[in-house]
Amino acid sequence: MLRRHRSALPALLVTGLYSAALTVAVVVALISGDLGPLWWLTLFASVTEGVPATGENLLLLVLAGLSWAWGIWQILRGPLAGPPPQQDRNILRLRVALYVATAVTWLLHVTASLIWADATVIDSAAMWVVVLMFMRVLGRDRQYTRGAGVLGYGGFTVIGVLDLAGWPVLDGAELICGLAALAWTALVLRAQGYDDRWGTATVVYGIAALVAPIFLVLAALPFPDEGSAVEALGVVSSVLIMIWLARSAHDLAAPRRQPAAQTTLGA
């Protein structure tokens, strides 16, 4: 397993350290009823006042922690080992954009407890660059895909800037941008499914990231708005997005499968 991916050993070490810290935090929560360490490790914030250490809250936080651990492994292990294929400038730029978008998505969670609205603008801008770079790598005539991505993430960037400046935003603008971003994701996943440069697992993670919010909203309905760790469900969706972005970059640098040599039988 360690030889299959280029950065497997560092990824395994980081994953192991995080998992060990997560285990200690769970033990502390079970013994003392203190959710503080576990809350900080999974939600990167101070525990919400008045949240009890119930079995449901503990389960939600552990689910978020396991998601982070799996995401760390999937993201940090890098591409498959072996000589990378020839990559033109567009592919290299797309890989960089995908990794930056992955890091910014993680940054949004780390700074969730801080009042830093700039992070949302940076995240939308990073995805807007991914949209432009993806279109250059996918090729063909994909004007609808490009238009949906630019409208979605470019629109979110503009909305974020207007919000920071204190200027009003048109009613329904966020809904339109959100639908456009979803349409772009679906179109890109369809294109990846027909492109042998991306693996099936990468496309599956992307589909899971696309549909996960629907199921997570339904799963959150039984929980109260206050007094629970329901925010942990959002971690699962974000981790799936980060895994899809990172794996999309990994696959572009993975060794290409060589067609089997055909032998000709003489008469």
Side-chain angles (χ1 to χ4, degrees), residues 33-54 57 61 112-113 224-232:
D34 182 12
L35 290 178
L38 184 59
W39 198 283
W40 187 87
L41 277 173
T42 54
L43 300 181
F44 300 101
S46 300
V47 61
T48 303
E49 185 178 354
V51 177
T54 62
N57 287 331
L61 293 174
S113 60
D225 295 335
E226 298 180 358
S228 68
V230 71
E231 298 94 338

Side-chain angles (χ1 to χ4, degrees), residues 99-181:
Y99 287 136
V100 170
T102 303
V104 171
T105 303
W106 172 78
L107 185 64
L108 281 175
H109 283 276
V110 176
T111 60
S113 60
L114 304 176
I115 303 176
W116 189 28
D118 295 351
T120 305
V121 178
I122 295 174
D123 179 60
S124 300
M127 285 302 301
W128 178 66
V129 175
V130 168
V131 168
L132 299 180
M133 294 298 103
F134 239 126
M135 294 307 98
R136 295 183 181 181
V137 172
L138 289 175
R140 303 179 186 176
D141 186 14
R142 300 185 182 274
Q143 299 298 327
Y144 293 110
T145 305
R146 181 186 292 108
V150 170
L151 175 60
Y153 293 105
F156 276 130
T157 304
V158 173
I159 290 173
V161 172
L162 293 176
D163 186 59
L164 288 175
W167 293 343
V169 179
L170 294 177
D171 294 337
E174 292 186 358
L175 177 60
I176 294 174
C177 293
L179 293 176

Side-chain angles (χ1 to χ4, degrees), residues 71-93:
I72 291 171
W73 166 247
Q74 288 286 322
I75 294 168
L76 296 185
R77 67 184 186 178
L80 291 173
Q86 290 289 338
Q87 299 181 29
D88 60 23
R89 184 174 300 177
N90 288 332
I91 291 180
L92 291 175
R93 288 176 176 175

Side-chain angles (χ1 to χ4, degrees), residues 12 16 24 27 30 34 39 47 52 59 65 74 120 127 129 133 148 166 192 197 217 228 236 243 247-248 251 260:
L12 185 62
V24 172
V27 173
L30 290 174
D34 182 12
W39 198 283
V47 61
L59 180 62
Q74 288 286 322
T120 305
M127 285 302 301
V129 175
M133 294 298 103
Q192 283 184 313
R197 290 175 294 183
V217 168
S228 68
V236 179
I243 292 176
R247 286 187 63 111
S248 294
D251 288 355

